[in-house]
Amino acid sequence: QHSAASIGRQGLNITGYPRAELGVGEALRSLARACHAVDLPFSLTDVGEQSPNRQSDDSIVALARNERFAIDMLYVNADQTAATANTMQQRGLPRAPLRLGFWHWEQPELPQRLHAAFAHLDEVWVPSRFVHDAVAPVSPVPVFTVPHALQVRASADAVRARFGLPEDRWLALVMYDFHSYQYRKNPQAAIAAFRLAAQHHPQMGLVIKTINSAHHPEAFAELQQAVSDLPQVSFINDFLTRQQTWDLQACCDVLLSLHRAEGFGLAPAEMMALGKPVVATGWSANMDFMNSSNSMPVRYTLQPLAHDVGAYAAGPLWAEADIEHAAWCLGQLVQDPALAQRLGKQAAHDIATQLSPAAVGRLVRDRLQVLARDRKSTRLNSSHANISYAVFCLKK
Protein backbone atom coordinates (compact mmCIF):
# COMPACT_ATOMS: atom_id res chain seq x y z
CA GLN A 1 0.00 0.00 0.00
CA HIS A 2 1.41 3.37 -1.04
CA SER A 3 1.11 6.58 0.90
CA ALA A 4 -1.10 9.24 -0.69
CA ALA A 5 0.82 12.02 1.06
CA SER A 6 2.86 13.05 -1.95
CA ILE A 7 0.22 12.74 -4.66
CA GLY A 8 0.63 15.65 -7.03
CA ARG A 9 4.42 15.48 -7.18
CA GLN A 10 5.89 14.73 -10.59
CA GLY A 11 6.53 11.05 -11.06
CA LEU A 12 4.84 7.89 -12.28
CA ASN A 13 2.79 5.25 -10.50
CA ILE A 14 3.66 2.33 -12.79
CA THR A 15 1.24 -0.60 -12.68
CA GLY A 16 1.91 -3.75 -14.69
CA TYR A 17 4.14 -6.82 -14.70
CA PRO A 18 7.46 -5.56 -13.28
CA ARG A 19 8.78 -9.07 -12.55
CA ALA A 20 7.33 -10.99 -15.51
CA GLU A 21 9.63 -12.64 -18.04
CA LEU A 22 7.93 -11.53 -21.23
CA GLY A 23 8.21 -8.64 -23.66
CA VAL A 24 5.76 -6.29 -21.96
CA GLY A 25 7.44 -6.99 -18.62
CA GLU A 26 10.87 -6.11 -20.01
CA ALA A 27 9.34 -3.05 -21.67
CA LEU A 28 8.00 -1.87 -18.31
CA ARG A 29 11.42 -2.38 -16.78
CA SER A 30 12.96 -0.33 -19.58
CA LEU A 31 10.63 2.57 -18.75
CA ALA A 32 11.59 2.29 -15.10
CA ARG A 33 15.30 2.38 -15.99
CA ALA A 34 14.70 5.43 -18.19
CA CYS A 35 12.97 7.20 -15.31
CA HIS A 36 15.80 6.28 -12.96
CA ALA A 37 18.39 7.61 -15.42
CA VAL A 38 16.91 11.12 -15.19
CA ASP A 39 16.02 10.99 -11.48
CA LEU A 40 12.30 10.78 -12.18
CA PRO A 41 10.71 8.90 -9.27
CA PHE A 42 8.24 6.07 -9.76
CA SER A 43 6.27 3.59 -7.71
CA LEU A 44 5.38 0.03 -8.71
CA THR A 45 2.12 -1.87 -8.44
CA ASP A 46 2.43 -5.51 -9.50
CA VAL A 47 -0.55 -7.13 -11.25
CA GLY A 48 1.53 -10.03 -12.49
CA GLU A 49 -1.28 -12.46 -11.75
CA GLN A 50 -2.73 -11.32 -15.08
CA SER A 51 0.26 -12.80 -16.97
CA PRO A 52 0.94 -16.54 -17.40
CA ASN A 53 4.71 -16.00 -17.68
CA ARG A 54 7.25 -16.65 -14.94
CA GLN A 55 7.62 -13.79 -12.43
CA SER A 56 11.22 -13.71 -11.25
CA ASP A 57 12.93 -10.53 -12.53
CA ASP A 58 13.55 -8.24 -9.56
CA SER A 59 15.98 -5.94 -11.35
CA ILE A 60 13.99 -2.72 -10.89
CA VAL A 61 12.06 -3.40 -7.69
CA ALA A 62 14.64 -1.71 -5.45
CA LEU A 63 14.49 1.47 -7.58
CA ALA A 64 10.82 2.09 -6.83
CA ARG A 65 9.49 4.56 -4.25
CA ASN A 66 6.80 3.77 -1.70
CA GLU A 67 4.66 6.80 -2.50
CA ARG A 68 2.03 8.03 -4.94
CA PHE A 69 2.60 10.58 -7.68
CA ALA A 70 0.55 12.82 -9.93
CA ILE A 71 0.32 10.41 -12.87
CA ASP A 72 -0.72 6.77 -13.11
CA MET A 73 0.87 4.62 -15.82
CA LEU A 74 -1.03 1.41 -16.60
CA TYR A 75 1.71 -0.51 -18.36
CA VAL A 76 -0.52 -3.22 -19.79
CA ASN A 77 -1.95 -3.64 -23.25
CA ALA A 78 -5.42 -2.51 -24.26
CA ASP A 79 -7.01 -5.90 -23.57
CA GLN A 80 -5.84 -5.78 -19.93
CA THR A 81 -6.50 -2.09 -19.24
CA ALA A 82 -10.00 -2.47 -17.77
CA ALA A 83 -8.99 -5.41 -15.58
CA THR A 84 -5.95 -3.50 -14.32
CA ALA A 85 -8.00 -0.39 -13.50
CA ASN A 86 -10.46 -2.59 -11.59
CA THR A 87 -7.64 -4.28 -9.69
CA MET A 88 -6.24 -0.92 -8.62
CA GLN A 89 -9.66 0.15 -7.40
CA GLN A 90 -10.14 -3.08 -5.47
CA ARG A 91 -6.76 -2.57 -3.78
CA GLY A 92 -7.83 0.89 -2.66
CA LEU A 93 -5.26 2.77 -4.71
CA PRO A 94 -6.41 6.35 -5.32
CA ARG A 95 -6.63 7.36 -8.95
CA ALA A 96 -4.07 10.03 -9.80
CA PRO A 97 -5.18 13.28 -11.48
CA LEU A 98 -3.94 11.87 -14.79
CA ARG A 99 -3.91 8.28 -15.96
CA LEU A 100 -1.83 7.04 -18.89
CA GLY A 101 -1.64 3.66 -20.58
CA PHE A 102 1.23 2.06 -22.46
CA TRP A 103 0.04 -0.14 -25.32
CA HIS A 104 1.67 -2.47 -27.82
CA TRP A 105 -0.07 -3.79 -30.91
CA GLU A 106 1.27 -5.69 -33.89
CA GLN A 107 -1.22 -4.88 -36.65
CA PRO A 108 -1.62 -1.63 -38.62
CA GLU A 109 -5.15 -1.22 -37.27
CA LEU A 110 -6.42 -1.28 -33.67
CA PRO A 111 -9.59 -3.43 -33.68
CA GLN A 112 -12.94 -2.08 -32.56
CA ARG A 113 -13.12 -4.55 -29.67
CA LEU A 114 -10.21 -2.76 -27.95
CA HIS A 115 -11.56 0.79 -28.28
CA ALA A 116 -13.45 0.60 -24.97
CA ALA A 117 -10.08 0.67 -23.18
CA PHE A 118 -9.67 4.35 -24.06
CA ALA A 119 -12.37 5.18 -21.50
CA HIS A 120 -9.96 4.33 -18.66
CA LEU A 121 -7.17 6.65 -19.83
CA ASP A 122 -6.30 10.30 -20.41
CA GLU A 123 -3.42 9.54 -22.78
CA VAL A 124 -1.89 6.50 -24.48
CA TRP A 125 1.85 5.94 -24.91
CA VAL A 126 3.16 3.58 -27.58
CA PRO A 127 6.69 2.28 -28.31
CA SER A 128 6.93 2.98 -32.04
CA ARG A 129 5.57 4.86 -35.01
CA PHE A 130 4.02 1.62 -36.24
CA VAL A 131 1.86 1.30 -33.12
CA HIS A 132 1.20 5.04 -33.13
CA ASP A 133 -0.19 4.82 -36.64
CA ALA A 134 -2.51 2.00 -35.56
CA VAL A 135 -3.78 3.72 -32.41
CA ALA A 136 -3.87 7.45 -33.15
CA PRO A 137 -6.52 7.44 -35.92
CA VAL A 138 -9.12 5.92 -33.58
CA SER A 139 -8.01 7.46 -30.28
CA PRO A 140 -10.12 10.10 -28.48
CA VAL A 141 -7.09 10.96 -26.32
CA PRO A 142 -3.52 12.04 -27.13
CA VAL A 143 -1.09 9.39 -28.35
CA PHE A 144 2.59 9.86 -27.52
CA THR A 145 5.51 7.74 -28.75
CA VAL A 146 8.12 6.60 -26.21
CA PRO A 147 10.55 3.91 -27.44
CA HIS A 148 11.96 1.32 -25.11
CA ALA A 149 15.21 2.15 -23.37
CA LEU A 150 18.12 -0.25 -23.77
CA GLN A 151 21.10 -0.76 -21.51
CA VAL A 152 22.67 -3.96 -22.81
CA ARG A 153 26.08 -5.32 -21.86
CA ALA A 154 27.56 -8.76 -22.31
CA SER A 155 29.54 -10.36 -19.51
CA ALA A 156 33.29 -10.26 -19.91
CA ASP A 157 33.36 -14.06 -19.77
CA ALA A 158 30.45 -14.72 -22.14
CA VAL A 159 31.51 -17.82 -24.09
CA ARG A 160 29.72 -20.30 -26.31
CA ALA A 161 30.60 -23.26 -24.08
CA ARG A 162 28.18 -21.91 -21.47
CA PHE A 163 25.32 -22.54 -23.88
CA GLY A 164 26.64 -25.73 -25.46
CA LEU A 165 27.21 -23.96 -28.78
CA PRO A 166 29.84 -25.01 -31.33
CA GLU A 167 33.00 -22.95 -31.55
CA ASP A 168 33.64 -23.68 -35.22
CA ARG A 169 30.46 -22.27 -36.76
CA TRP A 170 29.19 -18.87 -37.81
CA LEU A 171 25.99 -18.69 -35.78
CA ALA A 172 22.66 -17.14 -36.74
CA LEU A 173 20.27 -16.60 -33.83
CA VAL A 174 16.47 -16.87 -34.00
CA MET A 175 14.62 -16.10 -30.76
CA TYR A 176 11.02 -15.68 -29.68
CA ASP A 177 8.35 -16.42 -27.07
CA PHE A 178 5.68 -18.94 -28.08
CA HIS A 179 3.14 -16.80 -26.20
CA SER A 180 3.87 -14.08 -28.79
CA TYR A 181 2.55 -16.39 -31.54
CA GLN A 182 4.87 -18.45 -33.69
CA TYR A 183 3.00 -17.42 -36.84
CA ARG A 184 3.77 -13.74 -36.21
CA LYS A 185 7.41 -14.40 -35.37
CA ASN A 186 7.64 -16.65 -38.45
CA PRO A 187 10.66 -18.85 -37.63
CA GLN A 188 9.77 -21.05 -40.61
CA ALA A 189 10.85 -18.25 -42.95
CA ALA A 190 14.07 -17.77 -40.99
CA ILE A 191 14.79 -21.49 -41.18
CA ALA A 192 14.14 -21.49 -44.93
CA ALA A 193 16.52 -18.54 -45.40
CA PHE A 194 19.18 -20.23 -43.28
CA ARG A 195 18.78 -23.48 -45.20
CA LEU A 196 19.28 -21.65 -48.50
CA ALA A 197 22.30 -19.69 -47.29
CA ALA A 198 23.92 -22.73 -45.67
CA GLN A 199 23.98 -24.52 -49.01
CA HIS A 200 26.67 -22.08 -50.10
CA HIS A 201 28.19 -21.45 -46.65
CA PRO A 202 28.36 -24.78 -44.78
CA GLN A 203 30.20 -23.17 -41.89
CA MET A 204 26.90 -21.61 -40.77
CA GLY A 205 25.00 -22.84 -37.72
CA LEU A 206 21.54 -21.96 -36.43
CA VAL A 207 20.62 -21.24 -32.80
CA ILE A 208 16.91 -21.27 -31.93
CA LYS A 209 16.13 -19.72 -28.54
CA THR A 210 12.52 -20.04 -27.35
CA ILE A 211 10.43 -19.93 -24.18
CA ASN A 212 6.98 -21.26 -23.25
CA SER A 213 7.02 -24.13 -25.75
CA ALA A 214 5.34 -26.38 -23.16
CA HIS A 215 2.20 -24.27 -23.50
CA HIS A 216 2.22 -24.62 -27.30
CA PRO A 217 3.13 -28.26 -28.05
CA GLU A 218 1.75 -28.25 -31.59
CA ALA A 219 3.71 -25.13 -32.55
CA PHE A 220 6.85 -26.58 -30.96
CA ALA A 221 6.42 -29.83 -32.86
CA GLU A 222 6.02 -27.82 -36.07
CA LEU A 223 9.26 -25.98 -35.30
CA GLN A 224 11.16 -29.20 -34.59
CA GLN A 225 9.89 -30.76 -37.81
CA ALA A 226 11.08 -27.74 -39.81
CA VAL A 227 14.71 -28.35 -38.75
CA SER A 228 14.66 -32.13 -38.39
CA ASP A 229 16.99 -32.62 -41.38
CA LEU A 230 19.47 -29.88 -40.41
CA PRO A 231 22.45 -31.14 -38.37
CA GLN A 232 23.79 -27.69 -37.55
CA VAL A 233 20.89 -26.52 -35.33
CA SER A 234 21.15 -25.84 -31.58
CA PHE A 235 17.98 -25.48 -29.47
CA ILE A 236 17.83 -23.46 -26.26
CA ASN A 237 14.29 -23.91 -25.02
CA ASP A 238 14.42 -22.43 -21.54
CA PHE A 239 14.12 -19.23 -19.56
CA LEU A 240 17.31 -17.20 -19.25
CA THR A 241 17.96 -14.12 -17.17
CA ARG A 242 18.36 -10.87 -19.09
CA GLN A 243 22.13 -11.07 -18.56
CA GLN A 244 22.22 -14.64 -19.84
CA THR A 245 20.17 -13.58 -22.86
CA TRP A 246 22.59 -10.76 -23.66
CA ASP A 247 25.51 -13.17 -23.26
CA LEU A 248 23.86 -15.60 -25.67
CA GLN A 249 23.29 -12.82 -28.18
CA ALA A 250 26.92 -11.75 -27.84
CA CYS A 251 28.04 -15.31 -28.60
CA CYS A 252 26.17 -15.36 -31.92
CA ASP A 253 27.17 -13.65 -35.16
CA VAL A 254 23.83 -12.35 -36.43
CA LEU A 255 20.19 -12.09 -35.40
CA LEU A 256 17.74 -13.37 -38.00
CA SER A 257 14.14 -12.16 -37.59
CA LEU A 258 11.75 -12.64 -40.51
CA HIS A 259 8.74 -11.58 -38.44
CA ARG A 260 5.44 -10.66 -40.01
CA ALA A 261 5.05 -7.68 -37.66
CA GLU A 262 6.66 -6.17 -34.56
CA GLY A 263 5.32 -3.60 -32.12
CA PHE A 264 8.87 -2.61 -31.19
CA GLY A 265 11.47 -5.29 -31.96
CA LEU A 266 13.32 -5.83 -28.70
CA ALA A 267 15.55 -8.68 -29.88
CA PRO A 268 16.84 -6.80 -32.96
CA ALA A 269 17.43 -3.67 -30.88
CA GLU A 270 19.35 -5.60 -28.20
CA MET A 271 21.48 -7.38 -30.77
CA MET A 272 22.29 -4.04 -32.41
CA ALA A 273 23.16 -2.55 -29.02
CA LEU A 274 25.74 -5.32 -28.65
CA GLY A 275 27.32 -4.32 -31.95
CA LYS A 276 26.02 -7.30 -33.90
CA PRO A 277 24.49 -7.27 -37.39
CA VAL A 278 20.77 -7.88 -37.75
CA VAL A 279 18.93 -9.36 -40.74
CA ALA A 280 15.25 -8.62 -40.23
CA THR A 281 12.05 -7.95 -42.13
CA GLY A 282 12.18 -4.33 -43.25
CA TRP A 283 8.66 -3.51 -42.07
CA SER A 284 6.88 -2.47 -38.88
CA ALA A 285 8.30 -1.05 -35.67
CA ASN A 286 11.89 -2.23 -35.99
CA MET A 287 12.33 0.24 -38.85
CA ASP A 288 12.28 3.06 -36.29
CA PHE A 289 15.89 2.12 -35.50
CA MET A 290 16.96 -0.07 -38.44
CA ASN A 291 18.24 1.23 -41.77
CA SER A 292 20.60 0.09 -44.51
CA SER A 293 23.63 1.67 -42.82
CA ASN A 294 23.26 -0.14 -39.48
CA SER A 295 21.57 -3.44 -40.39
CA MET A 296 20.21 -5.48 -43.30
CA PRO A 297 16.45 -4.88 -43.74
CA VAL A 298 14.91 -7.69 -45.75
CA ARG A 299 12.57 -7.04 -48.64
CA TYR A 300 8.95 -8.09 -48.18
CA THR A 301 5.45 -8.04 -49.61
CA LEU A 302 2.33 -7.11 -47.66
CA GLN A 303 -0.54 -9.58 -47.56
CA PRO A 304 -3.84 -9.62 -45.66
CA LEU A 305 -3.78 -11.98 -42.71
CA ALA A 306 -5.76 -14.96 -44.02
CA HIS A 307 -6.92 -16.33 -40.65
CA ASP A 308 -7.17 -15.28 -37.03
CA VAL A 309 -3.94 -15.66 -35.06
CA GLY A 310 -4.72 -15.46 -31.37
CA ALA A 311 -5.48 -11.82 -30.59
CA TYR A 312 -4.92 -10.79 -34.22
CA ALA A 313 -7.97 -10.95 -36.47
CA ALA A 314 -7.85 -11.89 -40.13
CA GLY A 315 -7.78 -9.04 -42.62
CA PRO A 316 -5.13 -6.41 -41.79
CA LEU A 317 -1.81 -6.54 -43.62
CA TRP A 318 1.24 -8.38 -42.39
CA ALA A 319 4.61 -8.76 -44.09
CA GLU A 320 5.93 -11.81 -45.89
CA ALA A 321 9.73 -11.59 -45.94
CA ASP A 322 11.63 -12.37 -49.12
CA ILE A 323 13.43 -15.57 -48.16
CA GLU A 324 15.92 -15.41 -51.03
CA HIS A 325 16.89 -11.85 -50.11
CA ALA A 326 17.31 -12.85 -46.46
CA ALA A 327 19.56 -15.74 -47.51
CA TRP A 328 21.61 -13.36 -49.67
CA CYS A 329 22.00 -11.01 -46.68
CA LEU A 330 23.27 -13.87 -44.52
CA GLY A 331 25.73 -14.87 -47.24
CA GLN A 332 27.07 -11.34 -47.52
CA LEU A 333 27.78 -11.25 -43.79
CA VAL A 334 29.43 -14.68 -43.74
CA GLN A 335 31.82 -13.90 -46.57
CA ASP A 336 32.54 -10.30 -45.60
CA PRO A 337 33.47 -9.96 -41.91
CA ALA A 338 34.32 -6.30 -42.49
CA LEU A 339 30.71 -5.65 -43.52
CA ALA A 340 29.41 -7.34 -40.39
CA GLN A 341 31.79 -5.31 -38.25
CA ARG A 342 30.85 -2.05 -39.96
CA LEU A 343 27.13 -2.63 -39.58
CA GLY A 344 27.53 -3.71 -35.97
CA LYS A 345 29.58 -0.66 -35.05
CA GLN A 346 27.04 1.71 -36.58
CA ALA A 347 24.19 -0.22 -34.95
CA ALA A 348 25.73 0.10 -31.49
CA HIS A 349 26.23 3.83 -31.99
CA ASP A 350 22.68 4.42 -33.21
CA ILE A 351 21.03 2.43 -30.44
CA ALA A 352 23.14 4.19 -27.79
CA THR A 353 22.16 7.57 -29.24
CA GLN A 354 18.45 6.92 -29.75
CA LEU A 355 17.50 4.35 -27.12
CA SER A 356 19.73 4.83 -24.09
CA PRO A 357 17.91 5.15 -20.73
CA ALA A 358 19.05 8.77 -20.51
CA ALA A 359 17.72 9.68 -23.97
CA VAL A 360 14.38 7.98 -23.39
CA GLY A 361 14.24 9.32 -19.84
CA ARG A 362 14.55 12.90 -21.07
CA LEU A 363 11.66 12.30 -23.45
CA VAL A 364 9.53 10.93 -20.61
CA ARG A 365 10.46 13.73 -18.22
CA ASP A 366 9.72 16.43 -20.81
CA ARG A 367 6.33 14.94 -21.61
CA LEU A 368 5.37 14.73 -17.93
CA GLN A 369 6.35 18.37 -17.53
CA VAL A 370 4.01 19.29 -20.39
CA LEU A 371 1.20 17.29 -18.82
CA ALA A 372 1.76 18.90 -15.43
CA ARG A 373 1.79 22.38 -16.96
CA ASP A 374 -1.32 21.81 -19.01
CA ARG A 375 -3.33 19.88 -16.46
CA LYS A 376 -5.41 22.85 -15.34
CA SER A 377 -5.92 24.44 -18.74
CA THR A 378 -6.46 21.18 -20.63
CA ARG A 379 -8.55 18.92 -18.43
CA LEU A 380 -8.29 15.52 -20.05
CA ASN A 381 -11.63 13.84 -19.45
CA SER A 382 -14.57 12.52 -21.36
CA SER A 383 -16.03 15.97 -22.07
CA HIS A 384 -13.00 16.68 -24.26
CA ALA A 385 -13.20 13.46 -26.24
CA ASN A 386 -13.87 15.28 -29.51
CA ILE A 387 -10.99 17.75 -29.26
CA SER A 388 -8.34 17.36 -31.95
CA TYR A 389 -5.23 16.80 -29.87
CA ALA A 390 -1.73 17.28 -31.15
CA VAL A 391 0.04 13.96 -31.60
CA PHE A 392 3.51 13.79 -30.21
CA CYS A 393 5.92 11.37 -31.85
CA LEU A 394 9.64 10.73 -31.36
CA LYS A 395 11.33 11.48 -34.66
CA LYS A 396 13.80 8.99 -35.94
Side-chain angles (χ1 to χ4, degrees):
Q1 182 70 38
H2 302 284
S3 167
S6 64
I7 197 161
R9 190 158 76 89
Q10 188 183 32
L12 282 176
N13 309 310
I14 304 176
T15 298
Y17 318 135
R19 302 177 66 249
E21 296 186 21
L22 77 165
V24 71
E26 182 57 28
L28 181 156
R29 291 186 286 273
S30 90
L31 176 64
R33 287 189 285 267
C35 291
H36 182 68
V38 294
D39 297 321
L40 182 69
F42 63 90
S43 66
L44 288 175
T45 300
D46 193 336
V47 292
E49 66 274 10
Q50 296 173 185
S51 167
N53 282 49
R54 193 170 73 167
Q55 315 273 327
S56 61
D57 192 322
D58 294 324
S59 60
I60 63 163
V61 173
L63 304 179
R65 306 282 186 87
N66 185 30
E67 52 186 311
R68 299 292 291 177
F69 301 103
I71 299 176
D72 288 337
M73 168 58 76
L74 275 58
Y75 210 116
V76 296
N77 288 325
D79 61 337
Q80 290 294 316
T81 296
T84 301
N86 290 336
T87 295
M88 295 175 70
Q89 185 176 14
Q90 291 167 5
R91 294 185 186 180
L93 295 172
R95 176 167 177 155
L98 288 175
R99 176 165 284 179
L100 317 180
F102 206 120
W103 293 358
H104 301 74
W105 186 245
E106 285 84 16
Q107 283 185 307
E109 304 166 18
L110 188 73
Q112 179 70 38
R113 64 181 175 80
L114 297 178
H115 293 188
F118 287 118
H120 299 277
L121 304 172
D122 300 308
E123 179 163 292
V124 175
W125 288 11
V126 295
S128 65
R129 288 181 290 181
F130 180 76
V131 185
H132 170 272
D133 290 346
V135 175
V138 298
S139 177
V141 299
V143 179
F144 184 66
T145 304
V146 178
H148 298 325
L150 273 71
Q151 193 169 30
V152 181
R153 293 189 184 90
S155 301
D157 58 349
V159 293
R160 290 183 173 185
R162 274 193 189 176
F163 304 101
L165 300 178
E167 297 288 348
D168 60 346
R169 290 196 180 273
W170 189 91
L171 295 180
L173 174 65
V174 173
M175 57 189 304
Y176 65 99
D177 181 349
F178 278 91
H179 283 339
S180 294
Y181 305 110
Q182 180 163 274
Y183 186 82
R184 178 173 71 83
K185 294 295 189 177
N186 200 12
Q188 284 73 20
I191 292 165
F194 170 82
R195 184 190 302 276
L196 192 59
Q199 292 175 3
H200 304 284
H201 305 283
Q203 70 271 40
M204 291 177 60
L206 182 64
V207 180
I208 301 178
K209 166 67 180 74
T210 62
I211 57 173
N212 289 313
S213 64
H215 300 282
H216 303 267
E218 291 184 4
F220 186 48
E222 179 186 350
L223 178 67
Q224 290 176 307
Q225 179 61 33
V227 298
S228 60
D229 63 325
L230 293 174
Q232 62 270 57
V233 178
S234 301
F235 271 100
I236 300 176
N237 182 34
D238 200 2
F239 286 92
L240 300 179
T241 66
R242 293 314 300 165
Q243 188 61 60
Q244 289 171 332
T245 299
W246 299 335
D247 290 350
L248 171 63
Q249 290 169 321
C251 288
C252 295
D253 295 288
V254 66
L255 181 82
L256 179 59
S257 176
L258 299 188
H259 56 264
R260 291 184 164 97
E262 286 285 10
F264 178 71
L266 182 61
E270 288 182 333
M271 198 76 168
M272 291 170 67
L274 289 166
K276 299 285 184 171
V278 168
V279 174
T281 310
W283 186 75
S284 67
N286 52 296
M287 293 310 292
D288 277 7
F289 51 82
M290 281 180 58
N291 57 63
S292 59
S293 68
N294 65 16
S295 57
M296 301 192 82
V298 174
R299 294 194 294 263
Y300 61 90
T301 57
L302 293 178
Q303 298 181 13
L305 183 58
H307 53 84
D308 294 351
V309 177
Y312 307 105
L317 298 174
W318 268 0
E320 294 293 333
D322 183 330
I323 290 171
E324 291 187 357
H325 183 229
W328 178 86
C329 291
L330 291 173
Q332 292 296 299
L333 293 170
V334 173
Q335 65 190 23
D336 189 354
L339 171 63
Q341 184 176 21
R342 184 167 66 251
L343 291 175
K345 182 178 180 180
Q346 187 64 48
H349 173 269
D350 291 350
I351 295 297
T353 301
Q354 298 175 30
L355 301 179
S356 70
V360 176
R362 288 191 293 270
L363 182 69
V364 171
R365 183 187 59 202
D366 291 349
R367 180 58 182 157
L368 296 190
Q369 289 174 347
V370 170
L371 292 174
R373 186 182 67 225
D374 293 348
R375 193 168 69 205
K376 290 184 179 180
S377 60
T378 306
R379 305 187 68 82
L380 304 178
N381 54 43
S382 59
S383 67
H384 288 74
N386 294 321
I387 292 178
S388 294
Y389 288 103
V391 174
F392 298 86
C393 181
L394 177 67
K395 293 185 177 180
K396 187 175 177 181

